[in-house]
Amino acid sequence: MQRWPVLLFLAWACFLFFSGIGLFTSGFLLMRIELTNRSSCLDPLAAPAWAGQGVAPGACWMPQRVPKAVLLIIDALTFEFARFDPAKARPRPYENKLGFLHQLAGSQPRHARLYRFRADPPTTTMQRIKGITTGSLPTFIDVGSNFASYAIEEDNLLGQLVENGRRVVFMGDDTWDGLFPQKFFRSYFFPSFNVKDLHTVDDGILQHLYATVDGGEWDLLIAHFLGVDHCGHKHGPDHPEMAKKLTQMNEMLRSLVDHLGNDTLLLVAGDHGMTETGDHGGDSEKEVNAALFVYSKTPLFGAHLPKEPETIPQVNLVPTLALLLGVPIPYSNIGEVMAELFSGDGDAASAALSQLLAYRINAGQVDRFLHSYSLAAQDLPAERLRHLWELFSAALEEHDQLLAQVREGLPASPELEARLGRLVGRFQHYLREARAVCMESWARFHPLRMVAGCALIAASCLLCCVASELAAALDFSYRSRLLYPLLWGLGVAAVLGLAHLLTREGLDLILVVSWSAAASQLAFFWHSWGRRPRGARLAGGQPPVASAGLWQRLRAWQGLVLPMGILFIRCCAMFSDSFVVAEARVAPFLLASLAILLVGELHWHGRLAAPEAPKQPPGSTSSQKESWQLLCLLAVLLACLRLSGLFHQCREEIPHCQPSPFLAPLSSLQSTQAKNLFYLLCVASLAGLVYAVRRWLRHYGNLNSAGPLVLFVRWAFPLLAVWIACYWAVTSGAEDALGKLQELVQVALVGFPRAVYGLASLGLLLALWRPVTVFVKDSRESVGPIVTPYQGAPSSHAELQHVIPQIYRRMQESLKTQLDRGHRRATVAAYGLGSVYSAALVIVLTLLALLLLCLHSERMSLAFLLLFLEGFVLLRLHAWLVSLAGDAEPFVVPWYAVTAWVFAATQFFYSTGHQPIFPAIHWHAAFVGFQAGHSTHLLPAVLVGANTFASHILFAVGCPLLLLWPFVCEAPNSQRRKLEEEEQPVMEMRLRESPERFSAALLQLGLKYLFVLGVQLLACVWAAMILRRHLMVWKVFAPKFLFEALGFMVSSICLLLGTCLVMRVDCAVSAWFEQLQPR
């Protein structure tokens, strides 16, 4: 068996796809250019002086209005949390809890005001911090670094304060430490990543907040509370814990106001909102609708209180706070000042002049930024820039004229106030138009890279298709189709690297890898075309499609019509945002359609009905029984597909959708009886999964030996189930633990998951070290019976079918030895040898399932049980279809089986509570077994990734079962195989009679799996490229592409691992046979 060439070929194919993904991503998700320019007090944007106006010492651009400011960020403070509605007699847990804000705004309307604080997507904390400190718009791809924050190099509010000698004190979320290193006069950072911790950050802030405010050694005090956000992630907004946390924030604000001085401005802001499930990251109305509350003990606003709170973008806070504190506006700001805060205490004309002054400075700063950015990026539309310049020039000209008249002593009048108001409106119009242009053009696409990435992925799909056909030929050469392409690719990479060294230009690694991949693809197609098989025979003894006649070609391609047609329909659906949104229902529908059409095709060809001849052959009754069993399997598959829909997650685009209650942890249930009932159901599902696997292994004789892996399955599988059940019991009641019991609960929350991780990892290592699960009965030292039966009578017809071939071989060998040599020879009976490959895969899949189940909520155990049941039904259906097809080549896995397997992986991605959107990511998985958080970002990323792509992992590792299962399920009766005098291999041992065909079959299966995955990925890439200007591109198509790309990468890596495991078992079986040879 050629092991290393097969693995290298599959790894090379994966590398080609990865190169295409990287190239397309570099053109589709480019980050915007961040200018290094910084604003300065010496810039010619300072306010013109008139009527006694001037810039005080220590202030820049315009007079300082506020000497001190306190910025309280209550993470995920949705506007609905801050709003108070006295008409509600029975408010929900998150309503009417911040009553102190309503009290201030009602009793002091000139001192306090509540705003809708609209966040720009993506609504993740790090991007929002960037927005409210730089005044710019983070791009879509920035969301990937939400938990790997990098220092902000762009000009920002904190940098301006520090450069101008102001003292900034911070306390709270340690994300700010990575974004603004060494910027704080004093800081108190607390770990922020553990979303299950509701109190550590908030309590730490409260320990220092009041004393710091009273000390006065600060100019800007920032406190970032996280309890509300973490409570939303853990419990959702509609939970009693949210009421407690909001009440705590209300009391904190009441106490803080008493400590504030008369010259201090208080800003209470939410960085983003949250959905009904407590998540955020997208652009739904609930996620972008945050709250901003402004208060000062000195009057700030006019006497008129608006009926409805005004909506302002979050970036507007940056220029407003900068000018109020007397520092320059950050260079890249595109926000608009909040005019009301610049009104002053004078008459209407003086207030309008003060507002006009702020707008003039703000507009000049934005115009300067647009000019610099257009020179650096050259991606802003020229016509729109020209229009903006005309708006700014006209407003500036009118401003200068009006300013000249004011300097000449123009008296205040209603006409002057009207002119001032119109001029303020013109500056507002310019600023809002400028922001709109930036929002439309911010995503800088690179069309050439996107097209090249699409072409590279398409060529990789074609390569997998061609290579899967060529791999079945007996003359398949790894030298010409693997070695030469690799050498071509390495040669091109070396040439490009040398060229970069000689030219001393920056090395673009993505381009080098992409050119290398393209060169290796061209080499493969060149050698394949020059050495295409002409008279070679397929592994199954049939001529290749290229050399077959017309009728043989039609029959060869007939089997592709149905699976490729279903796959084509799924790919077409990628171009519709409605189908992408509803894919959780589309995927199971396509899988059910494929299964029903396959069975219908068999019925159409008359292979499901028993023969109707007068004298029926002996197997007719058996054939009819098999047909009914096939229909029963189909019914079970349809039932699994229907039940799996119970574990759905909702998208914001689907109105009136309620997420499945099975997604919520048991701790969220208020009823103790319901909690206990669901807990027993979850434990029963877990026990049923472990029992079913052990029962299958015992049925095929793979649970009889005393090997380390068999002993592990016997004892460790139940122990793992017990530990997981104990962990579920602890988590479901952790909130109710008191006193010293709470300490024990915390130890259990860490100990049980880590014990599961450790024991399951040990099992995986054992599966790689000693994967053979065969029990040997050796009679060479004693005179025993010719046949060594099972212990006890066989309990089913399937066990008889398994035992009879062994009995026959034992009898045949013993009689032949006695006749030929005249003496009795020792006999050896091997139990489980016919399923040795599948047994190792099933054991590894079960260990992975237990690991992944530990990362999900308790009630997902029902979904995992359905996953295993559906996988078994698909494999059994595949085996029956191969059996009923009659002329099918056993070493070739049909396309329909591979397509159905991939569809099942996609279906259970949704049926484990996931969606291809960022708010649906289960971040809590990062803290299973790590309640105190992590020191690095690698481990939490792995845990969250494993939770998200659990179905991809399981189905990719189990992909070789599609090749092995028909051999496991074969029955050596007279209809299929005629027993001859020589011993015939049975079940999976038939694979070993032709090692070359075995390795070629594994390669062909892997390439088919990559082809189906690659075609789906290609459809997503095309959809994202073609619809890049679509209204829903960043909400639907871009997240779908990212999740599809990550899912492809996870699946391809796990496919390599599954293939490696099969080859490791083959090595171990070869060594086992060598040990049985007589010395």
Side-chain angles (χ1 to χ4, degrees):
M1 183 179 184
Q2 301 187 56
R3 301 184 181 95
W4 286 111
V6 170
L7 289 176
L8 286 176
F9 201 101
L10 290 176
W12 173 58
C14 295
F15 163 76
L16 298 179
F17 280 106
F18 294 170
S19 302
I21 293 173
L23 184 59
F24 178 83
T25 304
S26 67
F28 181 67
L29 296 177
L30 281 175
M31 295 178 62
R32 66 173 177 86
I33 292 178
E34 293 186 355
L35 301 182
T36 57
N37 308 55
R38 296 186 179 276
S39 298
S40 169
C41 290
L42 301 178
D43 294 339
L45 295 174
W50 73 80
Q53 294 278 354
V55 178
C60 290
W61 292 9
M62 72 175 296
Q64 181 185 24
R65 295 182 57 84
V66 176
K68 290 178 178 292
V70 176
L71 175 60
L72 297 184
I73 299 178
I74 301 179
D75 209 292
L77 181 64
T78 306
F79 180 78
E80 297 299 326
F81 294 0
R83 192 170 194 173
F84 191 90
D85 186 0
K88 289 193 175 183
R90 300 181 63 183
R92 304 176 74 172
Y94 60 84
E95 293 177 333
N96 292 357
K97 296 301 182 293
L98 297 178
F100 183 65
L101 301 183
H102 176 73
Q103 177 185 340
L104 287 178
S107 61
Q108 306 178 52
R110 297 197 61 194
H111 298 256
R113 189 150 297 179
L114 179 65
Y115 296 90
R116 292 184 184 270
F117 204 36
R118 194 166 187 85
D120 296 297
T123 51
T124 49
T125 296
M126 193 197 77
Q127 280 66 40
R128 293 299 85 236
I129 294 175
K130 286 185 176 182
I132 62 179
T133 55
T134 65
S136 186
L137 302 178
T139 53
F140 181 85
I141 193 60
D142 280 346
V143 74
S145 57
N146 188 44
F147 299 106
S149 303
Y150 298 100
I152 295 178
E153 302 294 339
E154 205 169 16
D155 195 11
N156 58 82
L157 180 61
L158 271 66
Q160 287 293 337
L161 288 168
V162 173
E163 290 175 8
N164 288 276
R166 309 298 173 85
R167 298 162 297 180
V168 182
V169 175
F170 178 84
M171 52 188 69
D173 185 353
D174 61 354
T175 303
W176 292 72
D177 187 24
L179 293 175
F180 305 100
Q182 301 179 351
K183 294 291 186 183
F184 300 109
F185 178 76
R186 187 180 298 114
S187 58
Y188 305 94
F189 296 113
F190 303 97
S192 61
F193 193 50
N194 189 355
V195 295
K196 293 187 176 181
D197 185 359
L198 308 185
H199 307 294
T200 298
V201 177
D202 293 1
D203 292 346
I205 294 174
L206 294 177
Q207 289 178 3
H208 303 280
L209 179 60
Y210 307 121
T212 303
V213 171
D214 294 337
E217 295 183 354
W218 52 273
D219 297 293
L220 175 64
L221 172 62
I222 304 174
H224 192 156
F225 292 86
L226 288 178
V228 173
D229 178 68
H230 287 188
C231 185
H233 284 296
K234 186 175 182 180
H235 302 290
D238 201 3
H239 193 277
E241 285 296 325
M242 182 62 76
K244 296 178 182 178
K245 182 53 65 176
L246 290 174
T247 301
Q248 182 189 27
M249 294 295 100
N250 188 65
E251 295 304 318
M252 177 271 297
L253 291 170
R254 189 185 302 274
S255 301
L256 178 62
V257 167
D258 295 336
H259 290 265
L260 293 179
N262 294 331
D263 59 349
T264 303
L265 176 69
L266 173 64
L267 300 143
V268 182
D271 57 342
H272 53 75
M274 68 171 62
T275 63
E276 294 179 354
T277 58
D279 299 314
H280 58 90
D283 61 350
S284 67
E285 185 63 27
K286 290 182 178 295
E287 292 169 280
V288 301
N289 197 18
L292 173 66
F293 182 79
V294 181
Y295 172 78
S296 175
K297 292 186 177 181
T298 58
L300 291 173
F301 308 98
H304 175 69
L305 184 65
K307 294 181 179 180
E308 286 294 327
E310 182 184 354
T311 299
I312 62 171
Q314 282 189 350
V315 291
N316 290 10
L317 181 64
V318 175
T320 302
L321 198 54
L323 294 183
L324 287 176
L325 292 172
V327 298
I329 301 175
Y331 194 93
S332 300
N333 165 73
I334 60 172
E336 171 191 342
V337 291
M338 300 167 60
E340 291 179 314
L341 297 179
F342 296 89
S343 299
D345 299 330
D347 55 13
S350 300
L353 282 172
S354 299
Q355 294 177 6
L356 184 60
L357 171 61
Y359 272 111
R360 166 63 181 85
I361 296 174
N362 190 187
Q365 170 265 319
V366 171
D367 175 71
R368 181 185 63 175
F369 165 71
L370 291 178
H371 178 71
S372 301
Y373 187 83
S374 62
L375 294 177
Q378 299 180 354
D379 61 350
L380 296 176
E383 295 182 0
R384 301 290 297 276
L385 284 176
R386 190 179 304 111
H387 175 65
L388 288 174
W389 170 248
E390 293 173 355
L391 290 177
F392 176 69
S393 300
L396 186 61
E397 182 180 356
E398 184 177 350
H399 172 271
D400 292 340
Q401 293 176 0
L402 184 59
L403 180 59
Q405 296 177 9
V406 170
R407 286 174 175 172
E408 293 176 357
L410 181 67
S413 64
E415 181 183 356
L416 176 61
E417 294 178 11
R419 291 182 62 186
L420 289 172
R422 287 195 299 268
L423 185 53
V424 167
R426 298 186 71 170
F427 277 120
Q428 286 179 340
H429 178 62
Y430 165 75
L431 290 169
R432 291 168 187 177
E433 283 286 322
R435 182 171 179 270
V437 169
C438 291
M439 291 182 67
E440 294 174 3
S441 306
W442 220 243
R444 294 179 55 246
F445 297 114
H446 198 302
L448 184 59
R449 289 199 176 198
M450 288 192 291
V451 172
C454 286
L456 201 55
I457 295 174
S460 302
C461 292
L462 180 61
L463 183 145
C464 288
C465 184
V466 172
S468 67
E469 294 297 326
L470 296 176
L474 294 179
D475 63 344
F476 184 80
S477 172
Y478 288 99
R479 174 177 294 181
S480 62
R481 296 185 175 92
L482 177 61
L483 179 60
Y484 293 158
L486 288 178
L487 293 177
W488 274 75
L490 292 175
V492 169
V495 170
L496 291 177
L498 182 61
H500 279 286
L501 289 176
L502 294 177
T503 57
R504 295 183 180 181
E505 295 181 358
L507 184 65
D508 193 333
L509 185 60
I510 292 179
L511 286 181
V512 172
V513 170
S514 301
W515 276 109
S516 175
S520 62
Q521 285 180 337
L522 290 175
F524 171 83
F525 289 122
W526 176 267
H527 287 283
S528 298
W529 178 259
R531 296 171 176 263
R532 62 188 185 276
R534 302 186 182 276
R537 307 286 287 182
L538 291 176
Q542 298 180 2
V545 174
S547 60
L550 178 60
W551 177 251
Q552 290 176 319
R553 291 186 185 183
L554 291 176
R555 291 198 61 187
W557 290 103
Q558 184 181 6
L560 294 177
V561 174
L562 183 57
M564 292 299 107
I566 298 290
L567 181 60
F568 177 75
I569 293 174
R570 169 162 165 72
C571 292
C572 290
M574 300 290 187
F575 291 83
S576 169
D577 59 329
S578 300
F579 275 96
V580 174
V581 169
E583 193 178 21
R585 289 175 288 173
V586 173
F589 171 77
L590 292 178
L591 179 56
S593 302
L594 179 59
I596 293 173
L597 290 175
L598 285 171
V599 176
E601 184 181 15
L602 286 178
H603 178 70
W604 178 265
H605 292 292
R607 292 176 178 171
L608 289 183
E612 298 180 358
K615 294 183 178 181
Q616 295 182 353
S620 61
T621 304
S622 176
S623 176
Q624 189 174 13
K625 182 180 179 181
E626 291 177 354
S627 301
W628 280 108
Q629 290 178 349
L630 183 63
L631 293 177
C632 290
L633 287 174
L634 179 61
V636 174
L637 174 62
L638 297 179
C640 290
L641 292 173
R642 176 64 66 178
L643 291 175
S644 63
L646 298 175
F647 304 90
H648 66 281
Q649 176 69 277
C650 287
R651 293 183 62 128
E652 183 263 339
E653 299 87 349
I654 303 178
H656 311 297
C657 176
Q658 295 296 327
S660 171
F662 292 97
L663 301 181
L666 291 180
S667 58
S668 64
L669 295 177
Q670 302 297 318
S671 172
T672 304
Q673 184 177 3
K675 183 184 296 186
N676 294 336
L677 180 62
F678 273 111
Y679 176 76
L680 292 177
L681 185 60
C682 294
V683 173
S685 301
L686 178 62
L689 175 61
V690 173
Y691 172 79
V693 172
R694 284 166 52 91
R695 182 72 178 85
W696 184 89
L697 292 172
R698 184 179 293 107
H699 170 73
Y700 283 103
N702 296 103
L703 210 59
N704 296 323
S705 71
L709 185 58
V710 174
L711 293 177
F712 183 89
V713 173
R714 287 179 180 174
W715 298 105
F717 272 24
L719 185 59
L720 284 171
V722 169
W723 284 349
I724 294 176
C726 292
Y727 173 68
W728 289 345
V730 173
T731 55
S732 62
E735 299 294 332
D736 302 327
L738 299 174
K740 295 183 178 180
L741 187 59
Q742 181 66 31
E743 299 179 2
L744 183 62
V745 166
Q746 294 302 319
V747 173
L749 288 175
V750 174
F752 282 124
R754 292 192 181 185
V756 173
Y757 297 158
L759 191 59
S761 301
L762 176 62
L764 294 174
L765 293 176
L766 285 177
L768 292 176
W769 176 47
R770 297 284 294 273
V772 177
T773 55
V774 178
F775 174 60
V776 179
K777 185 70 173 180
D778 194 347
S779 62
R780 288 177 290 187
E781 297 181 358
S782 62
V783 179
I786 295 177
V787 178
T788 304
Y790 275 71
Q791 293 182 359
S795 59
S796 68
H797 178 68
E799 289 186 353
L800 286 173
Q801 289 181 335
H802 179 70
V803 174
I804 289 174
Q806 299 185 27
I807 297 175
Y808 172 78
R809 289 200 304 271
R810 297 276 309 282
M811 295 174 60
Q812 187 182 48
E813 181 183 357
S814 179
L815 291 175
K816 182 178 179 181
T817 302
Q818 294 180 17
L819 292 174
D820 293 345
R821 301 185 180 181
H823 63 279
R824 177 171 45 83
R825 183 182 177 184
T827 58
V828 178
Y831 297 94
L833 191 59
S835 57
V836 62
Y837 296 97
S838 299
L841 273 174
V842 169
I843 292 172
V844 168
L845 287 173
T846 307
L847 289 172
L848 290 175
L850 294 176
L851 271 174
L852 297 172
L853 182 57
C854 196
L855 299 176
H856 288 75
S857 61
E858 302 91 336
R859 287 182 278 187
M860 281 294 102
S861 59
L862 302 171
F864 274 78
L865 183 62
L866 280 177
L867 185 149
F868 267 73
L869 178 59
E870 184 174 318
F872 169 78
V873 171
L874 285 175
L875 291 171
R876 193 68 180 175
L877 271 174
H878 167 48
W880 278 114
L881 292 174
V882 170
S883 173
L884 293 174
D887 56 350
E889 166 57 39
F891 281 84
V892 176
V893 179
W895 281 101
Y896 68 79
V898 180
T899 306
W901 202 249
V902 174
F903 281 7
T906 302
Q907 173 224 334
F908 271 101
F909 169 79
Y910 295 99
S911 297
T912 49
H914 297 96
Q915 285 281 353
I917 50 176
F918 291 105
I921 295 177
H922 300 174
W923 299 112
H924 64 82
F927 308 101
V928 177
F930 300 91
Q931 297 292 313
H934 301 271
S935 58
T936 65
H937 296 291
L938 178 60
L939 183 57
V942 170
L943 294 176
V944 173
N947 173 283
T948 304
F949 300 104
S951 63
H952 295 74
I953 294 171
L954 293 175
F955 279 96
V957 172
C959 182
L961 289 174
L962 294 173
L963 173 64
L964 304 172
W965 210 263
F967 293 95
V968 175
C969 297
E970 70 176 4
N973 53 44
S974 58
Q975 288 184 341
R976 297 190 212 171
R977 188 169 60 245
K978 187 177 179 180
L979 294 176
E980 301 177 359
E981 293 183 1
E982 297 182 4
E983 178 182 355
Q984 296 291 325
V986 294
M987 300 175 67
E988 289 180 351
M989 288 300 100
R990 292 180 59 200
L991 295 166
R992 291 188 52 83
E993 68 180 348
S994 181
E996 298 301 324
R997 295 173 67 188
F998 189 13
S999 60
L1002 280 176
L1003 175 61
Q1004 189 180 44
L1005 174 59
L1007 291 173
K1008 286 183 176 180
Y1009 197 78
L1010 290 176
F1011 172 81
V1012 177
L1013 290 173
V1015 168
Q1016 296 181 148
L1017 174 65
L1018 182 61
C1020 284
V1021 167
W1022 276 347
M1025 180 181 66
I1026 296 173
L1027 303 173
R1028 63 184 181 275
R1029 295 298 181 186
H1030 192 277
L1031 179 65
M1032 307 294 287
V1033 61
W1034 301 118
K1035 192 170 187 177
V1036 175
F1037 297 109
K1040 175 60 179 174
F1041 157 68
L1042 288 177
F1043 276 83
E1044 196 73 30
L1046 290 174
F1048 177 89
M1049 298 175 71
V1050 171
S1051 297
S1052 57
I1053 293 173
C1054 292
L1055 174 67
L1056 291 175
L1057 296 178
T1059 306
C1060 285
L1061 177 61
V1062 173
M1063 294 180 175
R1064 175 67 188 97
V1065 176
D1066 188 72
C1067 290
V1069 171
S1070 299
W1072 181 83
F1073 272 114
E1074 291 178 0
Q1075 293 178 359
L1076 291 182
Q1077 297 296 327
R1079 299 178 181 178

